[in-house]
């Protein structure tokens, strides 16, 4: 049963028949997540502006990390096809659950994974607030950034679960 890309992890796992309480199922999810994250790092974080929708490609105000809404849907569909084609045999079983004839969705399983990898790589989605304090917190645009719970963001231009 397809879920929308903004569905929770729990909803996603139920939809693909995995149980979050089962350690083997958690490992399967982590392996799928790692496969998609590896693709994301190599193809989206280092890519030229050609991955952006035409209306954003020439707008130099749009900078990395790019938001999902900035990405060209054709590039996303190409990414889905390539991840599926190069995926390990057992994750492909789960990817096959998401196949769709709908050109707008293409594969809801891989689209959900890509959307969430994109979201979690963008520190702007961590409800950050500008703080006037200085110290060891991350620096963005000359201002110190802190997450709503008071912890400092990493001193990188963007948040990366691979790097941090």
């Amino acid at each position: 049963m397809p879920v929308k890309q903004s569905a929770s992890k729990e909803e996603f796992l139920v939809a693909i028949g995995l149980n979050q309480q089962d350690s083997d199922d958690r490992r399967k999810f982590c392996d799928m997540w790692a496969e998609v994250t590896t693709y994301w790092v190599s193809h989206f974080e280092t890519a030229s502006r050609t991955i952006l929708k035409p209306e954003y490609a020439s707008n130099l105000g749009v900078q990395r990390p790019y938001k999902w809404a900035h990405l060209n849907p054709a590039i996303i569909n190409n990414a889905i096809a390539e991840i599926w084609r190069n995926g390990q045999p057992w994750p492909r079983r789960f990817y096959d659950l998401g196949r769709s004839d709908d050109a707008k969705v293409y594969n809801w399983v891989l689209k959900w994974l890509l959307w969430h990898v994109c979201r979690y790589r963008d520190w702007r989605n961590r409800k950050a607030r500008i703080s006037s304090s200085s110290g060891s917190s991350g620096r963005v645009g000359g201002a110190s950034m802190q997450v709503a719970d008071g912890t400092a963001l990493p001193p990188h231009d963007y948040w990366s679960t691979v790097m941090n």
Side-chain angles (χ1 to χ4, degrees), residues 96-112:
D96 284 344
L97 295 174
R99 291 187 66 140
S100 171
D101 293 330
D102 181 354
K104 186 177 179 183
V105 176
Y106 195 59
N107 185 306
W108 64 268
V109 170
L110 283 165
K111 192 169 187 176
W112 186 94

Side-chain angles (χ1 to χ4, degrees), residues 1-4 11-17 97-98 108-109:
M1 171 181 178
V3 296
K4 56 188 174 182
E11 291 171 300
F12 175 75
L13 291 175
V14 167
I16 62 172
L97 295 174
W108 64 268
V109 170

Side-chain angles (χ1 to χ4, degrees), residues 145-164:
M145 296 292 289
Q146 291 187 336
V147 178
D149 67 4
T151 59
L153 290 170
H156 297 291
D157 291 338
Y158 58 92
W159 176 257
S160 171
T161 56
V162 174
M163 294 172 48
N164 296 304

Side-chain angles (χ1 to χ4, degrees), residues 54-144:
E55 61 267 27
Y56 297 114
S58 60
N59 181 348
L60 298 179
V62 175
Q63 294 292 318
R64 282 189 192 100
Y66 300 128
K67 293 183 178 185
W68 183 264
H70 295 156
L71 301 177
N72 185 328
I75 300 294
I76 292 168
N77 283 343
N78 289 342
I80 288 169
E82 191 171 339
I83 293 168
W84 180 86
R85 189 173 41 256
N86 297 325
Q88 298 298 315
W90 76 261
R92 192 174 305 151
R93 254 190 25 199
F94 293 103
Y95 302 158
D96 284 344
L97 295 174
R99 291 187 66 140
S100 171
D101 293 330
D102 181 354
K104 186 177 179 183
V105 176
Y106 195 59
N107 185 306
W108 64 268
V109 170
L110 283 165
K111 192 169 187 176
W112 186 94
L113 288 162
L114 277 169
W115 188 80
H116 282 267
V117 166
C118 175
R119 253 190 98 209
Y120 292 120
R121 303 189 83 61
D122 184 353
W123 57 262
R124 294 174 293 207
N125 289 325
R126 301 206 182 268
K127 297 181 181 172
R129 59 174 154 65
I130 301 290
S131 168
S132 60
S133 66
S134 59
S136 62
S137 58
R139 305 287 293 176
V140 177
S144 176

Side-chain angles (χ1 to χ4, degrees), residues 9-92:
K9 178 181 173 184
E10 292 76 21
E11 291 171 300
F12 175 75
L13 291 175
V14 167
I16 62 172
L18 294 178
N19 179 350
Q20 191 168 6
Q21 306 307 316
D22 183 286
S23 62
D24 189 47
D25 284 358
R26 285 194 308 269
R27 181 191 53 76
K28 289 175 183 175
F29 173 80
C30 287
D31 288 347
M32 285 188 291
W33 184 269
E35 200 166 71
V36 171
T37 299
T38 299
Y39 184 90
W40 183 270
V41 169
S42 64
H43 290 80
F44 285 93
E45 287 188 1
T46 60
S48 69
R49 299 180 69 79
T50 59
I51 65 170
L52 300 175
K53 291 177 181 175
E55 61 267 27
Y56 297 114
S58 60
N59 181 348
L60 298 179
V62 175
Q63 294 292 318
R64 282 189 192 100
Y66 300 128
K67 293 183 178 185
W68 183 264
H70 295 156
L71 301 177
N72 185 328
I75 300 294
I76 292 168
N77 283 343
N78 289 342
I80 288 169
E82 191 171 339
I83 293 168
W84 180 86
R85 189 173 41 256
N86 297 325
Q88 298 298 315
W90 76 261
R92 192 174 305 151

